[in-house]
């Protein structure tokens, strides 16, 4: 069995649901885990639970709001300072379909938090991930996508944030397709440097995902009625843990996993071109937003 005790992982959205269970699994495997959370209160509560349960003394948290470029910059500086190696970044945090609103930087909320924020975080942590890959043989990025990516039928990487969004374009499924394409492009660009990037689908999980804040009104009845179909967050964390820890995921790259099995994703035609364009468009969009913020 592989010894993970010298490794360091970062898990975003680790105070609850799939992220909390992913952090628990990594701590049980003996690794050092940095949780990202949105408040100190949530961070303390998660640390208390995980320390009690796993006995690990290698757990800490950093505040991160993926809906704020400023918060992402501050958090990635802190994470890079605190970690002399990063063996894995688990881009887990995300929110649901019916949510409206804007990020702090004025981006549409779902795409901003689920995809653009994690893209920027990954970009900022990439130097330390690649340094770790150089020194230790490899490092990993795991993007928590969703089966919902299959509904992103009119995805257009050159018009990521149409405003207003046409009804036929669903922000959540597009953000999850973008997570998947981002992992594939990371693998293509940096696979030769020892970076293994994968996307996963956790399953339909009984987490806080269906919270009323994001799915108001009749949606609550839908989540309640489908409860018997939902799996536990611990089960939902298995694909992330497999992609982060298994030897199999370290021998492969750019895959999409459901459970511990690589699956065929639903890709746009000419996926390689689309994912490269998406990367370029996302960088340009972040540059434009950052530029206009400092102007
Ligand atoms: N549940 C499912 O059936 C399902 C299915 C497919 C894919 N997924 C994906 O699985 C991942 C985990 O979801 P989950 O089911 O565990 O949901 P969850 O219980 O609601 O957890 C979501 C996590 O994301 C965090 N988050 C939300 N907005 C954030 C922001 N602006 N900045 C930083 N963190 C933020 C939340 O923090 P707070 O608690 O502070 O809000 C929480 O820690 C998501 O990417 C989701 O899209 C879930």
């Amino acid at each position: 069995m592989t010894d993970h005790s010298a490794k360091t992982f970062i898990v975003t959205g680790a105070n609850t649901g799939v992220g909390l269970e992913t952090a628990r699994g990594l701590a049980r495997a003996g690794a050092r885990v940095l949780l990202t959370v949105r408040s100190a209160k949530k961070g303390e509560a998660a640390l208390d639970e995980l320390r009690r349960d796993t006995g690990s003394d290698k757990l800490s948290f950093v505040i991160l709001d993926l809906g704020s470029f400023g918060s992402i910059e501050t958090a990635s500086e802190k994470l890079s300072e605190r970690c002399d190696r990063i063996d894995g970044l688990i881009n887990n945090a995300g929110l649901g379909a019916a949510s409206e609103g804007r990020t702090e930087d004025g981006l549409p909320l779902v795409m901003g938090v689920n995809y653009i924020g994690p893209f920027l975080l990954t970009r900022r942590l990439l130097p330390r991930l690649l340094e770790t890959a150089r020194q230790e043989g490899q490092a990993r990025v795991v993007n928590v996508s969703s089966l919902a990516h299959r509904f992103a039928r009119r995805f257009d990487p050159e018009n990521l944030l149409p405003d207003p969004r046409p009804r036929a374009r669903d922000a959540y499924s597009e953000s999850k397709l973008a997570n998947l394409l981002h992992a594939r492009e990371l693998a293509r660009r940096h696979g030769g440097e020892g970076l293994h990037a994968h996307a996963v689908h956790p399953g339909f999980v009984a987490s806080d995902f269906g919270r009323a804040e994001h799915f108001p009104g009749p949606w609550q009845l839908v989540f309640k009625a489908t409860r018997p179909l939902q799996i536990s967050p611990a089960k939902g964390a298995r694909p992330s843990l497999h992609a982060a820890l298994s030897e199999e995921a370290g021998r492969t790259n750019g895959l999409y996993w459901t459970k511990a099995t690589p699956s065929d994703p639903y890709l746009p035609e000419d996926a390689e071109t689309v994912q490269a364009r998406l990367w370029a468009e996302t960088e340009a969009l972040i540059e434009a937003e950052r530029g206009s913020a400092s102007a």
Side-chain angles (χ1 to χ4, degrees):
M1 236 169 71
T2 315
D3 178 8
H4 301 291
S5 59
K7 294 182 180 171
T8 295
F9 290 90
I10 295 165
V11 184
T12 68
N15 57 297
T16 188
V18 176
L20 179 64
E21 296 308 321
T22 304
R24 195 191 308 273
L26 293 168
R28 280 189 183 146
R32 176 182 180 212
V33 189
L34 287 94
L35 294 72
T36 85
V37 294
R38 287 204 287 171
S39 72
K41 195 173 163 203
K42 289 178 183 181
E44 294 296 352
L47 284 190
D48 277 357
E49 179 183 333
L50 293 179
R51 282 179 180 145
R52 229 179 311 116
D53 181 42
T54 65
S56 172
D57 59 359
K58 296 192 286 186
L59 297 166
S60 60
F61 71 81
V62 165
I63 306 283
L64 168 67
D65 180 352
L66 286 161
S68 157
F69 289 152
S71 172
I72 296 167
E73 299 289 4
T74 307
S76 36
E77 268 169 38
K78 272 194 191 140
L79 288 164
S80 301
E81 266 166 35
R82 281 199 209 169
C83 304
D84 54 4
R85 60 189 277 178
I86 302 177
D87 298 85
L89 165 64
I90 321 294
N91 283 315
N92 164 83
L95 51 80
S99 304
E100 292 186 359
R102 303 255 158 196
T103 67
E104 190 182 284
D105 311 288
L107 299 172
L109 187 67
V110 173
M111 200 59 150
V113 168
N114 288 6
Y115 167 62
I116 296 165
F119 180 97
L120 178 58
L121 179 72
T122 307
R123 190 166 86 167
R124 292 292 183 256
L125 297 180
L126 202 53
R128 192 49 50 88
L129 283 159
L130 292 177
E131 193 183 305
T132 306
R134 239 185 343 267
Q135 283 167 2
E136 309 298 332
Q138 63 170 263
R140 302 198 190 175
V141 173
V142 178
N143 283 356
V144 181
S145 174
S146 167
L147 182 63
H149 79 274
R150 67 185 291 183
F151 303 117
R153 293 199 181 90
R154 300 194 184 190
F155 183 73
D156 178 358
E158 289 180 68
N159 188 12
L160 265 187
L161 304 171
D163 203 0
R165 182 169 283 275
R167 278 176 70 85
R169 288 187 61 175
D170 170 59
Y172 182 71
S173 50
E174 292 198 359
S175 72
K176 293 290 137 180
L177 175 60
N179 292 151
L180 203 159
L181 295 172
H182 177 220
R184 285 171 54 96
E185 185 63 10
L186 276 167
R188 193 191 68 75
R189 286 175 180 243
H190 299 292
E193 296 161 88
L195 188 76
H196 293 253
H198 295 285
V200 301
H201 168 55
F204 188 20
V205 185
S207 62
D208 289 342
F209 186 78
R211 60 183 92 175
E213 180 197 343
H214 299 146
F215 292 92
W219 278 103
Q220 288 306 303
L221 296 176
V222 176
F223 278 99
K224 214 169 164 186
T226 52
R227 191 76 188 205
L229 304 174
Q230 297 168 22
I231 60 173
S232 69
K235 260 193 177 168
R238 285 183 195 165
S240 295
L241 289 168
H242 190 76
L245 297 176
S246 75
E247 289 180 13
E248 188 188 7
R251 286 192 302 270
T252 53
N253 217 343
L255 300 186
Y256 167 65
W257 303 75
T258 56
K259 301 185 182 158
T261 318
S263 303
D264 288 332
Y266 295 78
L267 293 173
E269 228 171 275
D270 196 4
E272 276 69 27
T273 306
V274 173
Q275 72 198 39
R277 202 174 292 152
L278 174 66
W279 183 290
E281 290 298 319
T282 311
E283 285 200 321
L285 195 147
I286 290 171
E287 270 333 300
E289 292 295 327
R290 301 246 63 193
S292 67
S294 58

